[in-house]
Amino acid sequence: MHEVVRPALVILLIVLLAGCSASRRRRSGVPGAAAGDMDYGAVAAMVTGYNITDGGFVIRRGKIELEGTSVEGSFGFTARINRDNDFIASVRGPLGIELVRLLAVENEIAAIDRFNRTVYMGKKDEFLKKNGMPDDFIKILFGDMPELVRATFEATDENEVLIRIKERDTDREVSLCVDEMKVCRQKLISRESGHEIMMQFSDFRSNGGKKYASLIEMKEGKKMLHVTVKIDELVAGFDERIEFNLPPYRRSSI
């Protein structure tokens, strides 16, 4: 059972670590126009203003569907992510029984396997690097605008802007849908590990002045992984402290 559960815990941590971003920016307005007629900096600033990870948020009802791992299927989940980028999440089976609890506080991460009474622990920065992910991967997962360092802009059609970002270890392609003023696609290529991740965002909703994709699809080419995240109920804004409390289970490395 250990060899079956552990890969699933890793995948769930990958999914949820994508929401812990560190950027803090204010929203600015920009008049409606076709992408080719807009000032790209103004468009990017407006999209950044809709980011949900900057102020924290609560997912009251959601679903994660896994394909391409040793544990496949659909799991319900709830999550709380605060302004400090810490999170706690609960993943439940068909009968509503908690299977896994996930924690990330500062640089400490843990996956609590209730079934096998085991806690898998590690460091967040090491975990992200090992799996070919940049530091702001939870921001990427939830479709928030990333930091625009060494970025180039291109209007691909009247409703879309393509942003290319070259980082130290990762190349990104971010597609902005002007009609939604949100990221609608993103591609990440890790030059060091060879991982290639594709993200697709749709069914956009608004809450508390923020905007989010309620349907998110992630595909990872190296491991042939397909993850679908469906958010049924989300509340923007969460600033409570999250404690790194672990049960007295057996310890193992993530």
Side-chain angles (χ1 to χ4, degrees):
M1 181 61 70
H2 170 81
E3 296 302 323
V4 173
V5 171
R6 186 171 180 175
L9 296 182
V10 171
I11 297 306
L12 292 170
L13 275 171
I14 288 173
V15 168
L16 288 165
L17 279 171
C20 302
S21 61
S23 177
R24 302 286 186 269
R25 295 189 181 180
R26 297 291 183 184
R27 180 177 177 181
S28 60
V30 61
D37 300 328
M38 281 188 176
D39 175 81
Y40 294 141
V43 173
M46 187 170 184
V47 175
T48 299
Y50 283 125
N51 282 1
I52 64 171
T53 55
D54 296 344
F57 59 96
V58 177
I59 298 177
R60 291 180 174 172
R61 286 189 300 119
K63 183 181 294 184
I64 298 175
E65 298 177 358
L66 302 177
E67 297 179 28
T69 179
S70 54
V71 177
E72 297 189 342
S74 180
F75 305 89
F77 80 99
T78 59
R80 289 176 285 160
I81 299 172
N82 66 18
R83 291 175 182 266
D84 294 327
N85 311 310
D86 301 332
F87 76 73
I88 183 171
S90 176
V91 181
R92 299 179 181 275
L95 299 178
I97 299 173
E98 185 177 67
L99 303 175
V100 178
R101 178 164 294 192
L102 306 172
L103 281 167
V105 177
E106 296 180 352
N107 198 39
E108 304 292 332
I109 60 172
I112 304 169
D113 176 3
R114 298 294 194 189
F115 186 83
N116 291 303
R117 298 178 64 84
T118 301
V119 176
Y120 299 93
M121 302 175 61
K123 300 295 184 181
K124 184 169 69 173
D125 55 356
E126 295 174 0
F127 179 84
L128 291 171
K129 184 177 181 179
K130 179 180 178 181
N131 288 278
M133 298 179 291
D135 293 339
D136 64 342
F137 190 79
I138 240 187
K139 170 181 280 191
I140 295 169
L141 174 72
F142 287 101
D144 276 0
M145 173 67 79
E147 293 283 350
L148 299 180
V149 179
R150 299 177 65 187
T152 60
F153 297 80
E154 176 187 346
T156 57
D157 58 40
E158 64 178 8
N159 289 316
E160 195 168 300
V161 174
L162 178 64
I163 305 175
R164 293 186 174 91
I165 305 171
K166 185 173 287 294
E167 300 174 329
R168 183 179 61 182
D169 301 318
T170 307
D171 293 327
R172 303 195 196 191
E173 292 183 1
V174 181
S175 296
L176 302 183
C177 287
V178 177
D179 54 348
E180 294 286 358
M181 281 296 167
K182 286 291 293 183
V183 175
C184 49
R185 286 187 305 281
Q186 186 161 179
K187 180 179 181 180
L188 298 94
I189 301 174
S190 173
R191 295 190 297 275
E192 182 175 344
S193 67
H195 287 83
E196 183 173 311
I197 299 172
M198 295 288 297
M199 306 291 303
Q200 182 95 18
F201 308 94
S202 59
D203 195 5
F204 293 95
R205 302 178 186 178
S206 298
N207 182 278
K210 303 296 182 178
K211 200 169 188 179
Y212 65 95
S214 64
L215 180 59
I216 303 165
E217 291 187 78
M218 181 181 77
K219 295 182 179 180
E220 202 286 317
K222 190 173 182 179
K223 297 180 180 179
M224 301 300 291
L225 170 69
H226 184 196
V227 178
T228 302
V229 178
K230 298 178 181 179
I231 301 174
D232 296 318
E233 186 177 358
L234 180 146
V235 178
F238 180 72
D239 198 25
E240 294 182 16
R241 181 179 175 83
I242 294 174
E243 302 289 344
F244 196 73
N245 293 329
L246 303 177
Y249 292 172
R250 183 174 67 91
R251 301 305 201 245
S252 183
S253 298
I254 192 72

